[in-house]
Amino acid sequence: MTSSQSGSYERPHRPAQPEDTRAADRRSAIRQAALRLFAEQGYRATTMTDIGAAVGIRGPSLYKHVTSKHELLAEIMIGTMEQLIADNTAAVIGTDDVREQLRRSVEAHIRYHARHRLEAFVGNREIGSLEQPDQDRVLRGRSDYERRFRELIERGVAEGTFHLQSARIASYSILDMGIGVASWFHEGGAFSVDQLAYQYGDIALRIVGVRA
């Protein structure tokens, strides 16, 4: 007699989720909760108890996944800089035209800040909360990122494509546009992320003296 004939029901087999996958998912949830709390109430005002409560983990169980809230802050801020640099690297591949490279770099910069507003906000505000050597690591990443824009602008000036007095001021101005976008942009508003990125690309080219 089959199980259906006997009236019993055998649930379909579902492979168990590997332990390391469950742990990674839980850590990701903890990181996202920490990011939201750091943005809403500040790093120093946020406690590990707050973070645990946000993901439904109490007391010592939280420390099975993360050692401290500083570890979470460092992970967020280092990850932000690494992603920005990776996006910038990918943006300039495929063309040697300095004007197109700058446009693509700016568009990648704006897209990141529009899509990762909390990371951008926390990364900009909490640099002083980082302990060493993580603070120096993030600052080196920032310097590297700014230098990429500045050297691109300097190359454009040397080629006679860009016309301006200070490449450094221009690079700072362009980078500041991302922070501004992170402070006001919302999905579903008047502009899509792609529309926003393209228009800011136009603005950046005007900053360096290119006219349509």
Side-chain angles (χ1 to χ4, degrees), residues 75-88:
E75 183 178 309
I76 289 165
M77 295 184 69
I78 291 169
T80 294
M81 287 312 310
E82 289 178 343
Q83 189 60 58
L84 282 167
I85 290 170
D87 289 350
N88 180 267

Side-chain angles (χ1 to χ4, degrees), residues 26-27 30-31 34 48 51-52 57 59-73 75:
R26 180 55 61 90
R27 182 177 175 86
I30 293 169
R31 181 186 181 279
M48 286 291 279
I51 296 170
I57 301 178
S61 295
L62 183 61
Y63 291 93
K64 295 179 181 178
H65 304 281
V66 60
T67 60
S68 67
K69 69 171 185 173
H70 181 267
E71 178 186 330
L72 290 165
L73 180 67
E75 183 178 309

Side-chain angles (χ1 to χ4, degrees), residues 2 27 37 54-55 59 81 98 142 144 176 179 183 185 188 210:
T2 65
R27 182 177 175 86
L37 289 167
V55 292
M81 287 312 310
V98 69
R142 286 186 174 188
D144 178 25
D176 281 347
I179 301 302
S183 70
F185 179 78
V210 174

Side-chain angles (χ1 to χ4, degrees), residues 16 24 43 46 53 55 62 64 90 93 96 99-100 114 125 132 143 150 154 164 173 184 191 195 202 209:
Y43 170 77
T46 299
V55 292
L62 183 61
K64 295 179 181 178
I93 293 175
D96 293 325
R99 180 164 52 186
E100 183 63 18
R125 185 179 68 180
Q132 297 294 3
S143 294
R150 176 164 37 88
E154 289 172 344
L164 67 157
S173 298
W184 66 263
F191 303 102
Q195 288 172 328
D202 281 345

Side-chain angles (χ1 to χ4, degrees), residues 190-200:
F191 303 102
S192 69
V193 173
D194 286 339
Q195 288 172 328
L196 193 71
Y198 191 84
Q199 290 191 51
Y200 270 93

Side-chain angles (χ1 to χ4, degrees), residues 22-202:
R22 292 197 299 270
D25 289 346
R26 180 55 61 90
R27 182 177 175 86
S28 177
I30 293 169
R31 181 186 181 279
Q32 285 303 116
L35 173 63
R36 177 176 54 79
L37 289 167
F38 293 162
E40 289 176 355
Q41 59 193 41
Y43 170 77
R44 298 189 186 279
T46 299
T47 66
M48 286 291 279
T49 300
D50 294 333
I51 296 170
V55 292
I57 301 178
R58 294 184 179 180
S61 295
L62 183 61
Y63 291 93
K64 295 179 181 178
H65 304 281
V66 60
T67 60
S68 67
K69 69 171 185 173
H70 181 267
E71 178 186 330
L72 290 165
L73 180 67
E75 183 178 309
I76 289 165
M77 295 184 69
I78 291 169
T80 294
M81 287 312 310
E82 289 178 343
Q83 189 60 58
L84 282 167
I85 290 170
D87 289 350
N88 180 267
T89 299
V92 299
I93 293 175
T95 180
D96 293 325
D97 183 86
V98 69
R99 180 164 52 186
E100 183 63 18
Q101 285 184 326
L102 181 61
R103 171 180 281 284
R104 293 183 184 183
S105 295
V106 172
E107 288 183 2
H109 181 67
I110 295 302
R111 285 192 178 96
Y112 182 88
H113 284 78
R115 291 171 174 157
H116 301 275
R117 297 173 58 242
L118 296 185
E119 287 90 341
F121 182 71
V122 170
N124 188 56
R125 185 179 68 180
E126 298 292 356
I127 186 66
S129 299
L130 278 176
E131 300 170 6
Q132 297 294 3
D134 295 316
Q135 186 182 87
D136 281 347
R137 183 175 175 182
V138 171
L139 290 173
R140 284 195 301 271
R142 286 186 174 188
S143 294
D144 178 25
Y145 191 59
E146 183 275 330
R147 177 182 52 77
R148 289 163 177 257
F149 283 85
R150 176 164 37 88
E151 290 181 352
L152 196 58
I153 294 167
E154 289 172 344
R155 197 182 99 218
V157 171
E159 293 176 2
T161 304
F162 300 157
H163 306 277
L164 67 157
Q165 291 185 336
S166 172
R168 186 177 296 274
I169 291 176
S171 67
Y172 287 161
S173 298
I174 290 169
L175 293 177
D176 281 347
M177 293 191 301
I179 301 302
V181 164
S183 70
W184 66 263
F185 179 78
H186 292 277
E187 293 278 6
F191 303 102
S192 69
V193 173
D194 286 339
Q195 288 172 328
L196 193 71
Y198 191 84
Q199 290 191 51
Y200 270 93
D202 281 345

